[in-house]
């Protein structure tokens, strides 16, 4: 995976990605100036199809990813000791633009519970944990909006899993 602040975006791409972040499950409801602050503290990563974005049991809370372009599969490896991309796996979710991953570890600081791999060439916004925490520590209002967004997102995901379990009976 390549990336960092060195990924050059034209103004049209930058505006498009700002819009995706502003409407994402994490940043929805924040002012444009706050979105700009998050953009300055994070980075755009480019990943080729099949790149491993994160892996199971990665040390906790390295940061938050928001998909800007492409698709990312979240899965559990049937043999978590292997990092090969062709390992047998149990599919958990497909993450699309505007959705995030890494939020569990970001919030609780524990090791990641799943792996994530790009299903196609993708661009992801990455915000390191320290930058995330620094911004939230500096503004109770921003923290309130983001934590509420994340809580609602996690509840929605849990309800969906409950419905899937109920329909299995």
């Amino acid at each position: 995976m390549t990336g960092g602040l060195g990924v050059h975006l034209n103004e049209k791409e930058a505006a498009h990605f700002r819009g995706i972040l502003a409407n994402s499950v994490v940043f929805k409801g924040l002012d444009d100036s706050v979105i700009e602050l998050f953009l300055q503290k994070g980075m755009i990563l480019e990943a080729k199809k099949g790149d491993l974005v994160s892996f199971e049991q990665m040390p906790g809370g390295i940061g938050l990813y928001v998909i800007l372009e492409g698709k990312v599969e979240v899965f559990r490896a049937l043999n978590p000791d292997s990092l090969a991309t062709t390992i047998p796996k149990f599919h958990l979710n497909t993450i699309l633009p505007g959705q995030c991953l890494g939020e569990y570890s970001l919030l609780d600081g524990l090791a990641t519970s799943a792996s994530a791999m790009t299903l196609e060439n993708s661009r992801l916004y990455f915000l390191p944990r320290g930058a995330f925490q620094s911004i939230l520590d500096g503004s109770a209002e921003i923290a309130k909006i983001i934590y509420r967004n994340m809580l609602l997102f996690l509840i929605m995901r849990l309800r969906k899993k409950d419905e899937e379990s109920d329909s299995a009976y």
Side-chain angles (χ1 to χ4, degrees):
M1 186 170 2
T2 61
L5 299 173
V7 173
H8 297 287
L9 303 175
N10 63 42
E11 190 49 45
K12 186 176 178 181
E13 285 178 312
H16 178 66
F17 291 159
R18 276 186 201 96
I20 291 171
L21 283 180
N23 291 303
S24 71
V25 296
V26 177
F27 301 116
K28 192 172 192 156
L30 293 172
D31 293 337
D32 290 344
S33 62
V34 177
I35 297 297
E36 203 58 43
L37 173 63
F38 277 106
L39 278 170
Q40 290 171 11
K41 299 290 184 178
M43 60 189 78
I44 307 286
L45 304 174
E46 293 185 346
K48 295 187 184 336
K49 179 181 178 178
D51 279 353
L52 204 54
V53 176
S54 67
F55 55 90
E56 240 171 290
Q57 299 305 312
M58 209 159 104
I62 67 159
L64 176 75
Y65 296 89
V66 177
I67 310 309
L68 299 173
E69 287 179 348
K71 294 179 188 175
V72 175
E73 178 185 23
V74 178
F75 63 94
R76 302 275 320 253
L78 296 180
N79 177 8
D81 294 330
S82 174
L83 295 179
T85 57
T86 58
I87 58 175
K89 56 191 171 189
F90 178 78
H91 174 83
L92 296 173
N93 205 352
T94 300
I95 308 294
L96 303 171
Q99 296 177 324
C100 64
L101 60 105
E103 71 279 2
Y104 289 8
S105 294
L106 182 72
L107 293 173
D108 68 13
L110 299 177
T112 56
S113 59
S115 298
M117 181 176 59
T118 55
L119 295 174
E120 58 190 43
N121 291 346
S122 301
R123 286 187 173 174
L124 302 94
Y125 168 76
F126 175 72
L127 181 65
R129 184 172 208 248
F132 175 82
Q133 202 57 58
S134 175
I135 293 171
L136 271 57
D137 287 347
S139 171
E141 186 59 30
I142 293 171
K144 178 179 141 187
I145 292 169
I146 288 179
Y147 284 135
R148 182 177 189 277
N149 287 346
M150 292 177 86
L151 178 61
L152 291 173
F153 173 68
L154 294 171
I155 289 170
M156 178 192 67
R157 187 182 284 165
L158 192 57
R159 286 184 187 274
K160 183 178 174 187
K161 292 293 180 192
D162 286 349
E163 288 173 14
E164 291 170 6
S165 295
D166 290 345
S167 67
Y169 292 108

